[in-house]
Amino acid sequence: MKKLFIISALTFVTAISVCGQGVLDALPAISSQTKGTARYSAMAGAFGALGGDLTSIKQNPAGIGVYRFSELTVTAGFNFTDNTVSSPSRSNSNNEFYFTGDNMGVVGVINFREGSLRNLNFGFAYNNIASFNNTYRADWNNISSSLTQLIASQASGLGCTPDILDESGSSNPYNDLPWLPVLGYNTNLIYPINAGSTNYVGIFDYQQSRGDAYLINYTSGGIDEYDFNISGNVSDVLYWGLTLNVTNIDYRQESYYGEELQNVNVKDNRNLNGRTSTTNGHFELQNYLRTDGYGTGVKIGLIYRPISFLRLGIAYHSPTYYTMTDTYSASVDYKFDKVDGRTLSGNGNDLRNKTDLGNFSYKFSSPWHLLGSIATVIGKSAIVSIDYELTAAPDMQYSSPYIDYHYTNQCINNQSTPIHNVRIGAEYRITPLWSIRAGYAFESSPMKNEYFDGVETPQIVEGTIAHYQVPGDVHNISCGVGFRINNINVDAAYVYRMQDSRIFAFEGATVGFNPTIMNLHNNSIKLTLGYRF
């Protein structure tokens, strides 16, 4: 009866603790990068008051109202990503190349001969607004703490006796309990202090154990947005626009965290009356996660031209309301040396355990955005534009009919900070056929400084992925060239993106682990072909 009561009490928290929605898990869904047409990218995306570019459909919908002719545009991107992860022990570098289809769309223009409404425009565009492709490795030597200590702490917090954690028992603990303690118990990474106890210890003893650790992490996928727009031009002074966006997120992660340990404790969970011995061993925790989601939102905007050379823009983006599904699994492989020439009874020296394949669906609302812009057109030769965008990151929220996310949403509000994005772009027409462009963009971190610096620990949901990453500020430097003849334009752009992130092996990782910094650099070349008709 006691066992059934404990399982019933834990069922409510199992879903969130297994799949792990928290403040850091929300960040991929609000990612944005300088992606779009080559002209937009070369000018760092500073098009909030300019318009006349297909990418403005996702930024300031009024920008489509600037069009006087219909247009078809296609953009492709070639990306080279490299990163360096520096820990107290060593540095690792990795690079990869990949192709993206950044943008494709069409604008249709209906011109009117009479009245203040000069034209009514309709637009559709596909935009790849973020890519998650990245691989990194971190190594730590001479560690003095271990993931097994965290697992033992989680198991003790459950208040479960060993028979509840034991997979060979009458019920499957993966149906009712957080998965990481179950994995740890069934591979002997943790064991109870004595038979029937609800207090657990890990194999790592901070007084005698030492070792090395590593983390290999793969991410892929991206965010795609499909925008439907209606916009208009009133007397060549006021431009208005409305965009309905349908967004798809596909986030995939595989990670491998391992420790090579010396002088760790070994005790057989099947024979708790036996003695505790000391040996050397290696374990690896493997994780797989895929997040799929679809959402919708609305964007509205205005561009005002009070005088011929000045344009002012303002836009509001509502939250995107997603329906998300996480699919996940994990496994542990633990190998250790023989103890006094013997193996553990019934287990051998190679212990493996794998979870079920789980899935969980929930709702997520992204932050709202507010955009203000100013641009000046200098004769027929030059353009200078500045955008400021505020993203209300603390307002993003989870919801579900099955889980109370009140505490998680409160943590998001307390630990994240509004994102400030400043974009500056310029264009100069050298000849009627050729133009050159340049830009710079800055985007602040969505997390407060104390979490990036490691002074405070953000909310860590007790899922099987114990490591986490806190992103820093983003800097983009861009340039490009454009060629236009008759109704055809060909544009090229180069964008250099820089960002530093802090990597934490697990909550409470101390000596030997921190600080660990990833310097991420992305070089992208974008080519756009456009045709006006």
Side-chain angles (χ1 to χ4, degrees):
M1 183 69 181
K2 179 180 179 181
K3 177 177 178 179
L4 291 176
F5 174 78
I6 293 174
I7 290 177
S8 176
L10 289 170
T11 300
F12 176 76
V13 300
T14 299
I16 188 171
S17 62
V18 168
C19 49
Q21 290 84 31
V23 58
L24 297 174
D25 303 283
L27 298 185
I30 66 170
S31 298
S32 65
Q33 298 162 12
T34 305
K35 298 168 72 71
T37 67
R39 186 184 181 213
Y40 173 93
S41 301
M43 296 177 63
F47 269 80
L50 286 175
D53 185 279
L54 194 60
T55 313
S56 63
I57 197 172
K58 73 180 180 69
Q59 187 182 52
N60 186 345
I64 300 302
V66 175
Y67 276 90
R68 295 181 180 274
F69 302 94
S70 300
E71 182 177 73
L72 176 66
T73 297
V74 178
T75 302
F78 305 88
N79 300 269
F80 179 78
T81 297
D82 66 272
N83 64 61
T84 300
V85 177
S86 301
S87 70
S89 303
R90 59 177 291 183
S91 293
N92 294 297
S93 297
N94 184 75
N95 56 72
E96 55 188 284
F97 173 84
Y98 59 94
F99 166 85
T100 56
D102 282 6
N103 168 271
M104 179 177 66
V106 61
V107 175
V109 176
I110 302 175
N111 292 303
F112 300 99
R113 296 182 179 180
E114 299 178 354
S116 58
L117 184 62
R118 303 295 170 85
N119 51 271
L120 185 65
N121 299 347
F122 299 89
F124 166 77
Y126 156 80
N127 287 289
N128 174 244
I129 61 177
S131 172
F132 302 131
N133 293 345
N134 188 35
T135 300
Y136 69 81
R137 178 184 176 115
D139 285 276
W140 301 278
N141 297 333
N142 196 29
I143 61 174
S144 61
S145 57
S146 166
L147 178 61
T148 62
Q149 295 168 305
L150 176 63
I151 299 174
S153 175
Q154 292 182 6
S156 299
L158 294 175
C160 295
T161 53
D163 59 318
I164 296 178
L165 290 170
D166 194 345
E167 192 181 24
S168 64
S170 58
S171 62
N172 183 359
Y174 288 117
N175 291 336
D176 306 299
L177 300 175
W179 284 2
L180 195 54
V182 178
L183 276 170
Y185 178 82
N186 286 282
T187 51
N188 279 80
L189 294 180
I190 63 171
Y191 54 89
I193 295 176
N194 51 59
S197 174
T198 60
N199 293 319
Y200 297 80
V201 294
I203 60 174
F204 190 94
D205 185 331
Y206 72 92
Q207 293 181 329
Q208 67 182 19
S209 303
R210 287 295 180 269
D212 302 329
Y214 64 88
L215 170 65
I216 304 172
N217 191 78
Y218 304 90
T219 55
S220 60
I223 301 178
D224 296 322
E225 190 171 275
Y226 303 86
D227 296 307
F228 303 85
N229 174 273
I230 180 172
S231 54
N233 169 3
V234 180
S235 303
D236 294 324
V237 174
L238 182 67
Y239 306 87
W240 57 270
L242 172 68
T243 293
L244 170 66
N245 61 281
V246 179
T247 307
N248 169 51
I249 180 171
D250 178 17
Y251 177 80
R252 308 184 192 191
Q253 180 180 15
E254 290 184 38
S255 64
Y256 304 84
Y257 174 83
E259 294 180 2
E260 190 77 39
L261 302 173
Q262 297 86 44
N263 300 322
V264 294
N265 296 323
V266 175
K267 194 173 183 69
D268 189 352
N269 281 334
R270 306 291 187 268
N271 183 21
L272 291 171
N273 294 322
R275 61 192 175 104
T276 301
S277 303
T278 302
T279 188
N280 302 328
H282 166 262
F283 77 86
E284 183 177 82
L285 169 65
Q286 303 174 4
N287 273 287
Y288 165 80
L289 169 67
R290 179 169 183 175
T291 300
D292 295 296
Y294 295 88
T296 58
V298 174
K299 304 172 185 179
I300 58 175
L302 297 172
I303 294 176
Y304 176 55
R305 190 172 71 166
I307 49 180
S308 61
F309 61 85
L310 182 66
R311 293 181 181 180
L312 306 173
I314 187 170
Y316 169 78
H317 302 177
S318 77
T320 298
Y321 297 96
Y322 287 98
T323 297
M324 311 276 267
T325 299
D326 287 351
T327 305
Y328 43 88
S329 64
S331 63
V332 166
D333 188 355
Y334 176 34
K335 300 178 181 179
F336 52 91
D337 297 342
K338 290 184 177 181
V339 182
D340 302 329
R342 62 185 176 84
T343 63
L344 293 185
S345 59
N347 285 328
N349 296 80
D350 187 352
L351 306 179
R352 298 175 180 174
N353 195 265
K354 185 175 182 179
T355 71
D356 303 326
L357 182 65
N359 64 80
F360 181 72
S361 296
Y362 53 96
K363 305 291 185 180
F364 175 75
S365 60
S366 69
W368 55 264
H369 300 243
L370 185 63
L371 174 70
S373 313
I374 184 171
T376 180
V377 180
I378 305 171
K380 296 184 178 180
S381 299
I383 295 173
V384 178
S385 181
I386 301 174
D387 286 358
Y388 169 73
E389 184 174 353
L390 174 67
T391 302
D395 287 354
M396 55 188 174
Q397 292 189 338
Y398 290 102
S399 63
S400 169
Y402 310 107
I403 292 177
D404 183 0
Y405 278 106
H406 175 75
Y407 175 72
T408 295
N409 293 332
Q410 188 177 50
C411 287
I412 290 174
N413 186 268
N414 293 336
Q415 297 168 7
S416 61
T417 186
I419 302 171
H420 304 281
N421 196 323
V422 179
R423 299 183 286 263
I424 303 172
E427 178 182 73
Y428 181 71
R429 182 172 294 177
I430 305 173
T431 72
L433 299 181
W434 291 94
S435 300
I436 56 174
R437 299 150 185 151
Y440 169 76
F442 167 81
E443 181 180 308
S444 64
S445 170
M447 298 297 293
K448 293 181 178 178
N449 291 335
E450 53 264 37
Y451 299 102
F452 182 83
D453 295 335
V455 177
E456 298 286 345
T457 300
Q459 179 205 17
I460 307 298
V461 179
E462 295 179 358
T464 57
I465 301 178
H467 64 89
Y468 60 98
Q469 180 179 326
V470 181
D473 299 336
V474 178
H475 301 268
N476 289 281
I477 300 172
S478 55
C479 61
V481 62
F483 174 76
R484 181 181 299 277
I485 182 170
N486 297 327
N487 295 336
I488 297 175
N489 65 280
V490 180
D491 300 299
Y494 168 73
V495 181
Y496 179 55
R497 174 184 171 92
M498 301 167 285
Q499 184 179 30
D500 291 347
S501 298
R502 282 288 298 270
I503 296 171
F504 296 86
F506 53 88
E507 183 182 3
T510 53
V511 178
F513 287 98
N514 299 323
T516 302
I517 303 290
M518 178 170 64
N519 307 114
L520 179 63
H521 306 272
N522 179 266
N523 301 267
S524 60
I525 297 174
K526 303 177 188 297
L527 300 173
T528 296
L529 177 63
Y531 176 71
R532 290 196 171 186
F533 55 95

